[in-house]
Amino acid sequence: MTPSLERLSAGLRAAVEGAEPGLEAANELCSACVELLGMDGAAVSMVHEGVSRGTFGASGDDGRRLDEYQFTFGEGPCLDAVSHRRSVLAPDLDAPTETRWPLFSDAALHDGVRAVFALPIMITSACVGALDLFRAEPGGWRGEQAAGAALAARLASQPLLDLLTADLTGDEQSRPDEWATVTAADMDRVEVYQATGILIAQLDVDAAEAAVRLRAHAMATGQTASEVGIAIIERRLFLDRDGGRGDPAGGPA
């Protein structure tokens, strides 16, 4: 049973206000969304110019991976929520009428997720990201869930604002140690771009083709683009000129 709106508001605000500014607050907010809104996962995604730039906060590895799919496939509810500046609801990804994000939906369903709700995160008049809520059980909002989710999306703007403010001022002291390397500039999924640079040199292709090959391998193998990028950087994976794969170390990637 969903708590009353008063309890939802108190619990969500306490999650943000009781945590260190920035990443910890975003993670705590996502965890509170899972607990209070009856979800199975939640993530805060940064989006710029129509592209997912990074998973800033998440309730856990599952939530982070589901958000990562939207970057890998270049489609998903969070991107639409930012593009249209309104909530995007997918109460059943397995419904015959749900055809908006075929690649994302297949991956999410494979992970046991049936319902996804994405709400835009605004800082003044700018839409900077989205709050993604994931649930294994299909169905729409129940009780006070919609109002609670809308409040959570508003509260999510504060951790993102803390991130951007710290990055602009260079205030390292305001960041937790584990967040020291996560800045607004670093949210562009660094490992993917490093791996793209490696592929440009190895395969003698341009940046666009290198990125396409990386994402294609991710889709074909059921991984995220970041997972493939890390494997390339660590030399556990080599993509050949024909679009296949090889392993310079002789073992599995």
Side-chain angles (χ1 to χ4, degrees):
M1 181 177 179
T2 305
S4 67
L5 185 57
E6 182 178 355
R7 285 189 58 199
L8 281 175
S9 177
L12 292 170
R13 292 182 185 280
V16 175
E17 295 169 0
E20 290 290 333
L23 181 60
E24 182 180 328
N27 287 336
E28 290 297 325
L29 176 63
C30 289
S31 296
C33 285
V34 170
E35 179 181 354
L36 297 172
L37 299 178
M39 297 294 157
D40 295 301
V44 172
S45 181
M46 289 186 71
V47 178
H48 179 62
E49 296 182 350
V51 178
S52 175
R53 298 298 189 183
T55 305
F56 181 51
S59 57
D61 291 341
D62 290 345
R64 187 172 297 277
R65 181 176 178 82
L66 285 160
D67 182 61
E68 177 78 16
Y69 286 143
Q70 302 184 77
F71 171 77
T72 300
F73 302 128
E75 63 177 34
C78 107
L79 299 177
D80 285 2
V82 173
S83 176
H84 301 303
R85 297 192 174 203
R86 60 176 174 78
S87 298
V88 174
L89 312 180
D92 189 357
L93 292 174
D94 203 30
T97 55
E98 181 54 83
T99 59
R100 287 174 288 183
W101 321 287
L103 297 174
F104 169 80
S105 295
D106 283 350
L109 287 169
H110 182 269
D111 283 5
V113 170
R114 289 282 297 274
V116 181
F117 311 96
L119 299 90
I121 298 173
M122 307 293 296
I123 295 180
T124 61
S125 62
C127 189
V128 297
L131 172 66
D132 289 340
L133 303 172
F134 309 102
R135 196 175 65 204
E137 179 185 351
W141 297 120
R142 296 189 296 266
E144 303 288 354
Q145 285 177 319
L151 173 60
R154 292 196 296 273
L155 291 172
S157 65
Q158 187 56 53
L160 284 176
L161 184 59
D162 291 338
L163 166 72
L164 297 172
T165 301
D167 189 42
L168 289 172
T169 62
D171 183 9
E172 297 288 343
Q173 297 300 317
S174 68
R175 304 173 186 155
D177 290 342
E178 65 272 19
W179 188 38
T181 60
V182 182
T183 67
D186 293 331
M187 294 299 286
D188 280 353
R189 304 196 191 268
V190 173
E191 63 275 7
V192 174
Y193 293 99
Q194 289 177 338
T196 299
I198 292 173
L199 292 179
I200 291 171
Q202 287 180 344
L203 306 181
D204 192 24
V205 296
D206 61 23
E209 183 174 348
V212 167
R213 292 194 183 204
L214 187 152
R215 290 194 185 194
H217 184 81
M219 295 179 195
T221 57
Q223 301 180 80
T224 66
S226 289
E227 288 170 338
V228 172
I230 292 171
I232 291 172
I233 293 168
E234 295 179 349
R235 301 299 195 268
R236 293 183 286 109
L237 174 66
F238 176 79
L239 301 185
D240 62 34
R241 292 176 183 271
D242 296 325
R245 55 161 285 181
D247 177 17

